[in-house]
Amino acid sequence: MGLGDTGGGESNFVHASFVNGPGRERKWVLCQGPMPNTAGQFWEMVWQEQIGVLVMLCLIRERDPDGAERDKCFQYWPLEEGTRLKFGLLEVITEKSWMDEPQLEGQRIKVSHLWLKKGLNRRKLFHFQYQNWADMDVPESLNAMVHFQTMVKGK
C-alpha cells in the first residue's frame, strides 16, 4: 500500500492489503505487525486510511515449540495509560487500557483506547489484542473467537 508523503524521510510503502467486506469495498486493511523500522509507516497508514479499530491476533513475545521466547511483533503502541510513543510526525498515546472481563475460561483480550496525533489534529482509536491465538496454531475455542468478533464489531 502506498502512502502519501510521510514527512520523515521514511519509505512510503507498507506491506498491507485492502480486503472487501459485506456491502463495502476496501472495508479492512490487513497487515503484519510492524517491526521497529516500519512502525512509523504503519502509523502513517493508520492515519491516512482513517482507521478507527485495530485488531491484533498475537502476543508481542511467544514461546516457540523448542521453549525459547521470541519477539513476534514490535511493541508499536504504549502499554501504560498516559504514556506516548513518537514515530516521525505522529504520536501515539494510550488513554486507557484494560483486560476484558473473560466471557469464557482462559480467554484473554486486552483493550486499549488510543489517541493518534499529527500536529494539532488527533483521532481516537480502539486497539483489541486477542491473546489466545498461539503462533503456528489455531484458536482453542470457536466461542472465544465469536465473542471477540462481537466485541470488535461493537466499536
Side-chain angles (χ1 to χ4, degrees):
M1 174 182 303
L3 300 174
D5 182 15
T6 61
E10 300 170 327
S11 168
N12 66 347
F13 177 79
V14 174
H15 190 75
S17 300
F18 286 107
V19 177
N20 295 338
R24 186 170 147 208
E25 289 188 17
R26 299 167 60 118
K27 182 169 183 164
W28 299 294
V29 176
L30 300 182
C31 66
Q32 294 178 322
M35 298 179 292
N37 63 328
T38 63
Q41 292 96 319
F42 171 82
W43 284 113
E44 192 64 44
M45 174 193 67
V46 170
W47 183 268
Q48 174 181 295
E49 300 304 322
Q50 300 180 30
I51 295 169
V53 177
L54 298 171
V55 175
M56 182 176 186
L57 300 174
C58 69
L59 295 170
I60 297 296
R61 293 184 61 80
E62 293 186 9
R63 190 171 304 281
D64 285 343
D66 63 3
E69 284 224 354
R70 302 209 196 299
D71 289 337
K72 296 297 179 177
C73 180
F74 175 64
Q75 181 65 53
Y76 59 91
W77 78 101
L79 285 175
E80 302 296 323
E81 293 179 7
T83 59
R84 54 191 68 217
L85 292 174
K86 191 157 176 68
F87 300 96
L89 300 175
L90 291 163
E91 191 171 26
V92 184
I93 304 152
T94 296
E95 177 182 355
K96 188 174 180 182
S97 187
W98 69 93
M99 293 301 293
D100 180 55
E101 187 67 35
Q103 303 298 311
L104 301 163
E105 186 175 330
Q107 179 180 346
R108 293 181 46 83
I109 299 171
K110 184 171 187 173
V111 183
S112 300
H113 290 180
L114 307 176
W115 286 99
L116 185 57
K117 289 179 58 177
K118 187 173 189 179
L120 299 176
N121 299 307
R122 68 183 194 160
R123 297 183 185 146
K124 188 163 191 151
L125 306 166
F126 290 92
H127 186 279
F128 295 91
Q129 183 186 20
Y130 186 82
Q131 298 182 341
N132 292 87
W133 195 334
D135 192 31
M136 310 294 249
D137 207 348
V138 295
E140 291 180 24
S141 165
L142 176 60
N143 290 336
M145 287 302 298
V146 169
H147 168 72
F148 182 64
Q149 177 188 18
T150 302
M151 194 176 171
V152 170
K153 285 175 82 174
K155 295 298 172 200

